[in-house]
Structures are given as structure tokens and as C-alpha cells.
Amino acid sequence: MYPFLPSENGCLLNGMSHTPGIRQAQKLKTRQALLDAALTLLEEKSLSSLGLREVTRAVGVAPTAFYRHFDGVAALGVALVEEALGSLHGMIGAILADTGDSEERLDRSVVLIARHVAEQPAHFRFIAREQHGGVGPVREAIAAQLRAFTEEVARAIATEPQSAGWDRQDLLMLGGLYVDHMVLTASALLDAAGPEDEREVVRTARRQLRLVTLGRAHWLDS
Amino acid sequence: MYPFLPSENGCLLNGMSHTPGIRQAQKLKTRQALLDAALTLLEEKSLSSLGLREVTRAVGVAPTAFYRHFDGVAALGVALVEEALGSLHGMIGAILADTGDSEERLDRSVVLIARHVAEQPAHFRFIAREQHGGVGPVREAIAAQLRAFTEEVARAIATEPQSAGWDRQDLLMLGGLYVDHMVLTASALLDAAGPEDEREVVRTARRQLRLVTLGRAHWLDS
DNA sequence: AAAGTCAGTGAACAGTCGTACTCCCAACTG
DNA sequence: CAGTTGGGAGTACGACTGTTCACTGACTTT
């Protein structure tokens, strides 16, 4: 599936005499160009209707060149999932590393999501669209990644004093609620018509998070 | 696929004098056949990759006949939204009409959702898939319907004693939370691998609803 | 009983699609 | 240096797409 990188460990050896990277670098460049073009095209289409030729045409390479990088459109989709959720991973890390008052953290989280969505709209749109989309492998890849995020969030939540006495099921449940809410908020931000709409979405998202946090605080009272 | 039955119900009526029913009934029948075939095909595809010819082939009708009923695939999608969310409307009504202890209501709601998903899986799959899908008009139709549901839920919530002192924004926020959670739960049920998975999804959904309800109870404490 | 309506037909259009094949030449190898 | 590798180009194929047009014949109307 992935191209062998034989010069990776031989880099230092090759670095002496022969130039090691030109060919690989070019290949990676084309590959990235394919991914970028696909992501752009996917802003107003869904993956299952994305044509292989359409992508190569946008990049300016022959249709056959596509196969040098991916088995088919589905494989490209899976690669896009990795790319998109890489940036998401960074964002979640930043949110979890946040400290301070619960209310402030909540605010900062929503703002952070809004900023990332504004910076990488295509990535979020792709994830939201293909999460329930028509291409099986891509759907599964996204589900697996989001499940990983849920566990990560649950693990972070577990270390906080508010979560004393919570069992694993409850922690995962709350983590899932947070992750789902994040994806939904991102999608709502993308659908927002203008700056005013966006602020409204942010306000609502904050309110909803506050309610969830409130429920969390009284979870063990039942 | 479907045989013509021109004389099926027309005989006795037509025998009288002027009965303007046969033709329209046939037309509606074909239209419904197109909708049904499309919904079946959409179980493993998304609307933007659904071909017009594909649908007519499944019904057993010439491709051109499609235009007698819809402007194009997008229009068929919008019609499917109305059909699908009609059944959803009934379900929400049943949930809201429920009375009794908050915990029992919550349980019954989740069970009701699970039952409806089991009865009409294709409808729910379609909604979940096209909610963020690639066809604009369909996305907007779904968004409009879900917004209407949110308002309906908010209105129902407002009448309950627990919601005294809540403003409109807060009620809509909570309604949106419930509606979003319902769609997400339905989607999770559809992705469930087996009966064991389904029960797990139901358990988690119940837990999440309980947390939200808990947050609701303490909303005005802040 | 004659005239009209119209859902459905079948052929033909100009495209696009994925994919298999051969070939080329710059980059790498020993 | 000669020899190999491999990303990409080019061509060609059959299958499928949405849409048009003139048309038929069963149902409706007058």
C-alpha cells in the first residue's frame, strides 16, 4: 500500500555520494497535490461522487498517474482522514492541556474549535460529510479515529478531581458526548451563513457545553 | 420490475361513467416505486453518486419516465426528506406525549427511537447520511425540518414545571441538544454490528440523556 | 363515439468514467 | 560509467451517464 522508503535508513549513506531525495520528494509532492486537489473538490461534493480523473485533471497529471499513489478513490479518502484528523488531534491536545476555571476552559475550548474550523474548513467539512457517507472504508477510518479521541478525552477527564468515583463506562460516555458535540459544532460553524450566524452558533455551543458540565457535576447525586 | 396493472382497481370504477382516478393512481404508484427503489439503493451509496438511470432500471421503467415525476435526482432527494421526516415527526410526537417520571420517560424515548430505527432503517440512514452530504438542496431541506423539530421540542419542554424561568434561547438550546442526540443515536444504532452492540449503544444513549437531564435540573443554579 | 391528454417508450446524442496497455526519460544504482 | 528503476504520458477501450426528441396507446373528457 505505502511506497517503500528504502533510502530512509540509507539516507546518510546516500547523502554522501548521490542525492537521495529528489525522486521521492517529487513523488510525495504529487501525492500531496492529489490530496489537496481532492480536498478542494470535496468542498461541494461527496467522496462517492468524486471521480479519479477529476482529481488528476485538477492537479494537471495523467489519470494513470493516480494509481502510482493510491489504489483508488477510497484509498485516497482514507489518506485524507489521517491528514484531517491529524490536525484535529493537535486541537484536542491543546484543549485538554488547558487549565483553570471550568467555565473559562469551556469558553476557550469553543473558541479554539471555531478558530481551527476557520483555519482548516475543508478538513472539518470532509470529516463531517464522510462520517456517515457512502464509502465504507472511509467511514470506518473516521469512526476508529473518533473512538480513539473519545478514549483520549476520557483519560484526561479521569485525572480531574470532579471525576472521582466515575467508572470507565461513564467516562467514555462523557468523552463521546464531548467529541460528538465538537464535530457537530464544527459542522454548524461551516454551515453558518455569516459572522453573525457564527457567533450565534458559538453562543449555543457554549450553552450546551455548560449544561453538560453542570450535569457532570451532579452525576453522582443520583 | 413492476408489472403494469392498468385494470386492477379501474374496472369497477371505470365501468360507471367518468372516473378520473386510474391514471393518477398509476402515476403515484410509479412515483412511489421510484422513491422506494432510490431509498433501497441509497443504503450503500450517497445521493450525489446515485444515478437517475440506476433508479429507473431498478423500477423497470425507461430513464425518460423519471422526468415525469422529478426534475432530477436532487428533487427526488428532497421528496425523500419529506417522506423520511414524516415518520420522524410521528415518533417525536409520541415521545413528547409521553408522561410520567422523568427517568421512565427517558428510557421509553430511547427504546422508541431504537424501535423506529429498526422499523425504518433506510429512512434514518438517508437522513444521517445526507444531513451533511454533498447535495445542497437536500441538506437545506433536512436542516429546515430538524430546526422545526427543535422548535417543537422546545415548545413542549417549555410547558413542563422544570423549565420555569427559562428563556427562549435556553429552550432552543436544549431542544437542539435532544434532536441532535436523537439523530446521532439513530446513526449509531445503524452502525451497530449486532444485538450486543445495539444494547451497548442504547445504554450509552440513556446515560447521556440522563446527564443532560441532570444538567437541565441544575441549569438555574449557576 | 370522437377528440384530447399524458405517462411511458426507444433511439440517439455527446459526454465522462475507470482501467489496461505501451512507451519515455529523469533519477537512482552498482 | 552503463544499467536499472519507476513516475508519469499517451492512447484506446467498453461501459455508463444525463438529456433531447418524436412517438405510441391507454385513460379522460366532451
Side-chain angles (χ1 to χ4, degrees):
Chain A
M1 184 179 188
Y2 285 97
F4 291 104
L5 301 172
S7 59
E8 187 176 310
N9 50 6
C11 201
L12 51 135
L13 292 170
N14 284 331
M16 306 282 192
S17 55
H18 305 309
T19 44
I22 300 212
R23 205 165 198 170
Q24 305 277 345
Q26 252 308 322
K27 179 166 187 182
L28 283 180
K29 206 171 185 175
T30 323
R31 186 190 138 100
Q32 193 57 46
L34 287 170
L35 287 171
D36 292 347
L39 199 61
T40 302
L41 289 167
L42 284 171
E43 296 214 38
E44 41 195 23
K45 307 189 59 171
S46 61
L47 188 64
S48 59
S49 66
L50 180 70
L52 175 157
R53 297 180 97 108
E54 210 175 339
V55 181
T56 59
R57 197 185 309 128
V59 175
V61 294
T64 48
F66 186 92
Y67 293 109
R68 303 284 186 196
H69 303 276
F70 307 101
D71 282 350
V73 195
L76 178 136
V78 174
L80 271 181
V81 172
E82 320 248 316
E83 191 181 78
L85 277 80
S87 79
L88 240 189
H89 188 88
M91 190 189 82
I92 290 187
I95 290 180
L96 293 181
D98 201 349
T99 58
D101 177 66
S102 138
E103 186 81 10
E104 294 171 20
R105 280 184 62 184
L106 191 151
D107 272 16
R108 276 199 291 269
S109 299
V110 176
V111 170
L112 212 55
I113 291 175
R115 176 149 27 107
H116 272 75
V117 169
E119 281 170 2
Q120 302 276 357
H123 276 157
F124 282 89
R125 171 156 282 138
F126 171 71
I127 293 298
R129 184 159 290 170
E130 303 303 330
Q131 186 185 6
H132 309 286
V135 183
V138 172
R139 230 170 33 226
E140 288 159 22
I142 295 179
Q145 295 273 6
L146 290 186
R147 223 176 297 127
F149 283 145
T150 297
E151 297 223 23
E152 191 176 344
V153 172
R155 221 174 305 125
I157 286 175
T159 67
E160 300 175 1
Q162 312 183 41
S163 310
W166 284 50
D167 65 11
R168 180 175 156 77
Q169 296 279 346
D170 287 342
L171 289 166
L172 283 177
M173 175 274 289
L174 183 55
L177 214 49
Y178 279 139
V179 170
D180 288 345
H181 185 263
M182 184 193 64
V183 174
L184 232 53
T185 301
S187 174
L189 281 169
L190 288 169
D191 290 346
E196 183 48 43
D197 254 27
E198 280 184 29
R199 272 192 291 274
E200 178 58 32
V201 169
V202 166
R203 263 197 299 271
T204 300
R206 203 148 39 191
R207 245 187 270 252
Q208 290 174 334
L209 269 185
R210 186 138 34 97
L211 190 137
V212 168
T213 304
L214 224 51
R216 180 189 174 191
H218 296 85
W219 183 243
L220 293 180
D221 301 355
S222 65
Chain B
M1 190 176 192
Y2 289 93
F4 289 102
L5 302 171
S7 58
E8 186 179 310
N9 55 358
C11 270
L12 61 142
L13 292 168
N14 210 8
M16 304 207 181
S17 55
H18 295 234
T19 20
I22 302 246
R23 205 160 196 174
Q24 280 205 326
Q26 254 306 322
K27 180 169 185 181
L28 282 181
K29 207 169 185 175
T30 312
R31 186 190 138 100
Q32 192 58 47
L34 287 170
L35 287 170
D36 292 348
L39 199 61
T40 302
L41 289 167
L42 284 171
E43 296 216 38
E44 41 195 21
K45 307 189 59 170
S46 60
L47 187 65
S48 59
S49 66
L50 179 71
L52 174 157
R53 297 182 98 107
E54 210 175 340
V55 180
T56 59
R57 197 184 310 128
V59 175
V61 106
T64 49
F66 187 93
Y67 294 108
R68 303 284 184 198
H69 303 277
F70 306 102
D71 282 350
V73 195
L76 177 138
V78 173
L80 272 180
V81 171
E82 320 249 314
E83 191 181 80
L85 277 80
S87 80
L88 238 189
H89 188 87
M91 191 190 83
I92 290 186
I95 288 180
L96 293 181
D98 200 349
T99 59
D101 177 68
S102 136
E103 187 82 9
E104 294 171 20
R105 279 185 62 183
L106 191 151
D107 272 16
R108 277 199 291 267
S109 298
V110 176
V111 170
L112 211 54
I113 291 175
R115 175 148 27 105
H116 272 75
V117 170
E119 282 170 1
Q120 302 276 357
H123 275 157
F124 282 89
R125 172 156 282 138
F126 171 71
I127 294 297
R129 184 159 290 171
E130 302 303 330
Q131 186 186 7
H132 309 287
V135 184
V138 172
R139 229 171 33 226
E140 287 159 21
I142 296 179
Q145 296 273 6
L146 290 186
R147 222 176 298 128
F149 284 145
T150 296
E151 297 222 23
E152 191 175 344
V153 172
R155 221 175 304 125
I157 286 175
T159 67
E160 299 174 2
Q162 310 182 42
S163 311
W166 285 50
D167 65 13
R168 180 174 156 77
Q169 296 279 344
D170 287 343
L171 289 167
L172 284 176
M173 175 274 289
L174 183 56
L177 214 50
Y178 280 139
V179 171
D180 288 346
H181 185 264
M182 184 192 65
V183 174
L184 233 52
T185 301
S187 173
L189 281 169
L190 288 169
D191 289 346
E196 183 48 44
D197 252 27
E198 280 184 30
R199 271 192 292 274
E200 178 59 30
V201 169
V202 166
R203 261 197 300 271
T204 300
R206 203 148 39 192
R207 245 188 269 251
Q208 291 173 334
L209 269 187
R210 185 140 32 100
L211 189 136
V212 169
T213 305
L214 224 51
R216 180 190 175 190
H218 295 85
W219 183 243
L220 293 180
D221 300 355
S222 65

